[in-house]
Amino acid sequence: MRSSSNPAFRNLPRGAAQYGPNVGFNQPQGGVPGYGPPQTSAGAGDRPMTVDDVVIKTALSLGTALVTGVLTAIWAISQLPVDAAGRITGISGGVIGALVGGMLVGLVISLVIIFKQKPSGPLTLAYSAAEGVFLGAISGLFEALYPGIALQAIIGTAGVFIAMLVVYKTGAVKVTPKLTKWIIGAVVGVAILMLVNLITSFFGFNPLRDGGPIAIIFSLVVIGVAAFSFLLDFDQADRMIREGMPSKWAWFAAFGLMTTLVWLYLEILRLLSYFQND
């Protein structure tokens, strides 16, 4: 299986040969001649994975994150102290706790899923819920400062996701080994730059995140890299389907897509904040 920039898709086991070939995102399903073989009659617990499995699991994960995120954002806004003019005067400890707690819990669960290399619906949904709390707390803060920014970020994230899905399905951009290496290299490069910028920010030098021209360009680059990472996510899920991996692995595909969605949303939210009036 081809490498991916998403750690969730690395070192996956090979598909179950006993199921035979299956059809992926770019191939219609069913037993009509020319459209791939019909599905086997294996039990629901070990039948081959299908596109519908990936769509349903991803929708459940995304829905969990959205519900917890919206509820957390509403709560976070209500917890922020304001002055008589309605201006935010600080950040409550509860909001900080939700932000840090959601981030750490999500990180721990993601590491468990990645290193365990086994699909788990409960863990994937727990990860989505934790990320929802994390994103909700951040979104609440940004929304209180810049009303409407969270919805704009959600629309932007959905737009990029749909656009890249169309690009993948139409074959406008082929996922080749060369492109895969380029995207992985770009992800690693972005991660290194973020780490260096984080370290230098402690010394008052924060060019990649200060809202200036360089920061805007960097955010656009990161958004582009995250967008192209979707192509690798789609390709890996497609390969899992065509190799006949059991349906439970759709949870793993959903987890991989969720990690990229979270990354993209955060970067779009940050970019939008650069253009807001103080």
Side-chain angles (χ1 to χ4, degrees), residues 78-214:
S78 69
Q79 297 299 306
L80 296 175
V82 295
D83 58 19
R87 293 171 298 195
I88 298 175
T89 59
I91 303 177
S92 68
V95 175
I96 295 177
L99 192 157
V100 176
M103 178 181 66
L104 292 178
V105 171
L107 176 61
V108 171
I109 295 176
S110 66
L111 291 176
V112 171
I113 294 175
I114 291 170
F115 288 106
K116 189 178 179 182
Q117 288 291 303
K118 289 184 179 180
S120 172
L123 280 180
T124 301
L125 293 177
Y127 167 79
S128 299
E131 290 301 311
V133 172
F134 168 57
L135 295 179
I138 291 180
S139 298
L141 292 174
F142 276 85
E143 186 67 22
L145 292 171
Y146 316 115
I149 192 173
L151 180 59
Q152 294 172 25
I154 291 174
I155 294 174
T157 302
V160 172
F161 177 82
I162 294 173
M164 298 313 294
L165 180 58
V166 171
V167 167
Y168 179 76
K169 285 181 66 66
T170 59
V173 176
K174 299 291 185 181
V175 180
T176 62
K178 183 176 181 179
L179 177 63
T180 299
K181 291 179 180 179
W182 182 89
I183 296 175
I184 293 175
V187 171
V188 173
V190 165
I192 292 175
L193 287 175
M194 285 182 174
L195 179 60
V196 172
N197 188 77
L198 176 63
I199 295 174
T200 59
S201 66
F202 292 118
F203 301 95
F205 186 63
N206 187 30
L208 300 183
R209 296 304 193 189
D210 62 0
I214 294 178

Side-chain angles (χ1 to χ4, degrees), residues 194-237:
M194 285 182 174
L195 179 60
V196 172
N197 188 77
L198 176 63
I199 295 174
T200 59
S201 66
F202 292 118
F203 301 95
F205 186 63
N206 187 30
L208 300 183
R209 296 304 193 189
D210 62 0
I214 294 178
I216 292 174
I217 293 173
F218 180 71
S219 280
L220 289 172
V221 170
V222 174
I223 290 172
V225 173
F228 272 85
S229 294
F230 278 128
L231 295 181
L232 300 192
D233 293 342
F234 297 146
D235 183 64
Q236 291 295 336

